[in-house]
Amino acid sequence: MTERRVCPPAPGPLEKYAACFDDLLVSLAQRRGLREYLTALLAPRDRNKTLTCLAGVEPVTGSKDAAVQRLQFFLSESTWDAAKINDRRLELICADPATAPHDRGVLVIDDSGDRKDGTATAHVGRQWLGRLGKTDNGIVTVTTVWTDGRVYYPLHAQPYTPAHHFRRGRADPDFRTKPQISAALAARGKAAGFACRAVVADCAYSVSDDWYLALRDAGLPYVVALKPHRGTWARADEPHTPIDAARALTGTDPDHPGDWTPVERRFRDGHTETWWAADARLGGYGPHSPCRLVVATTDPGLLPEKATWYLTTNLPHPDAPHAADSTHPPADLAEIVRLYGLRPWIEQSYKQIKDELGWADFQVRSAAAIQRHQTLVNCAFSFCWDQWFAPPGPLAATAPDPCPDEGAERGIRYTPPAPTALLAQGLTRRPFLAHPGDHPDPLVARLDRQGPAARTPGPPRRGHHRQTP
């Protein structure tokens, strides 16, 4: 058998991480492409991380550059399997004791949209884009994130394909709604070994009966928010909405708690807040029913809109008759509030994946290429966790010291040089990547003091009266 050709190594600690995927890549070009793409995603840039930016060339005329075409082929035409790469990434997460999942974490489900022009790109359609807060032309991706409040990382992602892409629309057998996609992703996360206390989602998923049935078939418990004014069938003299059920509870303040129980919420920065929670009754919901309605708020008397949760869960009440026979361990009110309190961590992951790693900056059209880009972004995110828990070691030859000490004692503020030389030389000529495990505190402090990168002025355009400075 012919021996494999040696691939040019990735800079710094990234080489060890990238080498874990080498057996899934059949050619030297694929192994080199993986290293170049991850390196470019992790390196700082002063513009959107499109293919020309990742290759370090000029945005317009540089699109024909060999480095750009190589990355384009790696995403669109190469034969590597993105699903296998993602499975290997999850195996590495499970194998590391610092990031391994456990049964006190949660699996958070959400979808996020990003604007895209045109109609030729896969999955594009006019739909609600949560990132923009309006309906526009773009792509929506359903994602799952595992978190326990200490670590958080993406598991799977699948773009939602609008109905107009299918021959028979919503009646097409291949069409899948967002709740159906999310339930399938949650089941895949469980099959991959990511244990969780519950699946957590916002109120967008509580309106789908298929979502509940799919989670029940997969044996997954859930804690999902309800819309406060969404009605349900009940007798005329009984509550008809979750907010009506909350107002029917007795107790208005700490001196007269009534049905409410104080619950302490602990936040990541160490401070705590006292919330109030109670099991409410609404239609088929009740503390001893298979599905519970839990209300959590900062003020039982006022029920403020932005600080009140209406949650439904199939985790049994500790005193419920069926608690002993349930497949899910019982959960008290404090546990329900803790589980749903972990849901915002998926929003935190969106900030880093989109703003820092270029989740929506791809310049490809096919569904396979989009999936590959998203998989590589998740790999870059996981590599950051790998280095966060790695013990500090000596700096690699390709990793310059991010915090030189010259001038520190004299009070001179250090300003790193502009990365113009790095952008000009391309990815194949020894790009530099700072070792994230070295001097983390001083590095973060210096980055926090740096202002945003200035944009390079472009040439004057015809028809514009304002002169370019």
Side-chain angles (χ1 to χ4, degrees):
M1 179 179 295
T2 305
E3 185 177 356
R4 274 194 165 192
R5 296 172 60 188
V6 178
C7 180
L14 183 59
E15 171 58 27
K16 181 179 178 181
Y17 183 80
C20 298
F21 303 92
D22 281 350
D23 60 315
L24 304 177
L25 305 172
V26 299
S27 66
L28 173 62
Q30 292 179 3
R31 300 195 300 274
R32 183 177 58 188
L34 175 72
R35 286 162 171 79
E36 292 180 350
Y37 211 93
L38 292 180
T39 301
L41 289 174
L42 292 165
R45 291 290 188 265
D46 59 352
R47 54 188 172 94
N48 289 351
K49 294 187 176 181
T50 57
L51 286 174
T52 54
C53 177
L54 296 181
V57 299
E58 197 276 335
V60 179
T61 61
S63 60
K64 301 300 183 181
D65 190 89
V68 178
Q69 294 300 307
R70 185 164 59 244
L71 292 181
Q72 177 76 41
F73 183 88
F74 176 68
L75 281 187
S76 302
E77 306 296 337
S78 191
T79 58
W80 59 281
D81 191 339
K84 293 182 179 179
I85 295 292
N86 191 66
D87 291 343
R88 178 62 54 83
R89 177 183 68 89
L90 299 182
E91 291 174 4
L92 296 175
I93 290 176
C94 290
D96 188 348
T99 57
H102 52 82
D103 56 7
R104 280 186 55 80
V106 298
L107 198 156
V108 187
I109 292 175
D110 199 10
D111 57 79
S112 180
D114 299 281
R115 191 179 183 280
K116 287 291 179 181
D117 293 327
T119 59
T121 304
H123 313 298
V124 163
R126 188 166 180 81
Q127 52 195 321
W128 174 261
L129 305 180
R131 185 174 176 83
L132 302 180
K134 64 178 182 179
T135 299
D136 205 337
N137 202 61
I139 296 178
V140 174
T141 303
V142 182
T143 59
T144 52
V145 165
W146 190 94
T147 180
D148 61 356
R150 181 183 62 94
V151 296
Y152 54 98
Y153 41 76
L155 299 186
H156 299 95
Q158 180 175 337
Y160 164 75
T161 306
H164 71 267
H165 286 268
F166 297 90
R167 180 181 177 183
R168 298 175 56 190
R170 300 182 68 90
D172 196 282
D174 294 330
F175 174 76
R176 293 292 182 272
T177 63
K178 298 172 189 175
Q180 290 173 332
I181 294 174
S182 65
L185 294 184
R188 287 176 59 186
K190 179 183 178 181
F194 287 85
C196 65
R197 187 68 169 94
V199 175
V200 178
D202 60 17
C203 58
Y205 295 87
S206 62
V207 298
S208 172
D209 293 336
D210 294 337
W211 190 79
Y212 293 106
L213 294 175
L215 292 184
R216 185 188 66 182
D217 294 341
L220 288 169
Y222 59 82
V223 178
V224 59
L226 295 176
K227 295 182 179 180
H229 296 283
R230 186 171 187 269
T232 185
W233 185 92
R235 296 169 60 93
D237 57 343
E238 294 178 353
H240 289 77
T241 63
I243 193 171
D244 292 340
R247 290 169 178 167
L249 296 170
T250 61
T252 57
D253 55 67
D255 296 330
H256 306 86
D259 296 327
W260 298 92
T261 301
V263 174
E264 185 181 78
R265 287 195 62 198
R266 181 175 298 275
F267 295 82
R268 187 175 177 85
D269 61 2
H271 86 278
T272 60
E273 294 181 5
T274 299
W275 282 44
W276 297 86
D279 274 286
R281 290 174 171 82
L282 172 67
Y285 298 103
H288 294 168
S289 300
C291 293
R292 299 163 59 188
L293 173 60
V294 175
V295 183
T297 182
T298 57
D299 191 334
L302 298 178
L303 298 176
E305 179 182 357
K306 296 185 179 299
T308 303
W309 299 340
Y310 305 92
L311 311 174
T312 179
T313 179
N314 60 349
L315 293 172
H317 191 281
D319 299 330
H322 65 282
D325 301 330
S326 175
T327 57
H328 309 306
D332 58 11
L333 294 173
E335 177 71 355
I336 299 299
V337 174
R338 182 190 75 86
L339 294 176
Y340 193 76
L342 296 175
R343 197 205 73 83
W345 282 109
I346 196 170
E347 306 294 345
Q348 176 68 15
S349 69
Y350 284 153
K351 293 179 182 178
Q352 296 169 331
I353 286 177
K354 294 188 174 185
D355 297 339
E356 302 297 334
L357 298 178
W359 174 270
D361 295 340
F362 55 84
Q363 288 181 322
V364 289
R365 295 189 182 276
S366 67
I370 294 174
Q371 182 186 17
R372 289 174 173 179
H373 170 79
Q374 294 175 346
T375 299
L376 293 173
V377 169
N378 288 340
C379 287
F381 187 90
S382 300
F383 167 74
C384 294
W385 276 118
D386 179 77
Q387 290 303 297
W388 179 267
F389 291 109
L395 286 173
T398 57
D401 189 353
C403 297
D405 294 331
E406 293 92 9
E409 297 180 357
R410 299 189 296 272
I412 300 176
R413 179 178 176 181
Y414 170 71
T415 302
T420 53
L422 173 61
L423 292 178
Q425 63 183 338
L427 292 175
T428 59
R429 295 182 57 188
R430 298 182 65 241
F432 293 96
L433 179 67
H435 193 312
D438 295 291
H439 315 296
D441 295 334
L443 175 59
V444 172
R446 292 184 188 277
L447 290 177
D448 185 59
R449 293 196 298 266
Q450 297 296 325
R455 296 185 60 183
T456 304
R461 291 177 293 173
R462 180 178 300 175
H464 288 251
H465 298 288
R466 177 180 294 181
Q467 297 295 325
T468 303

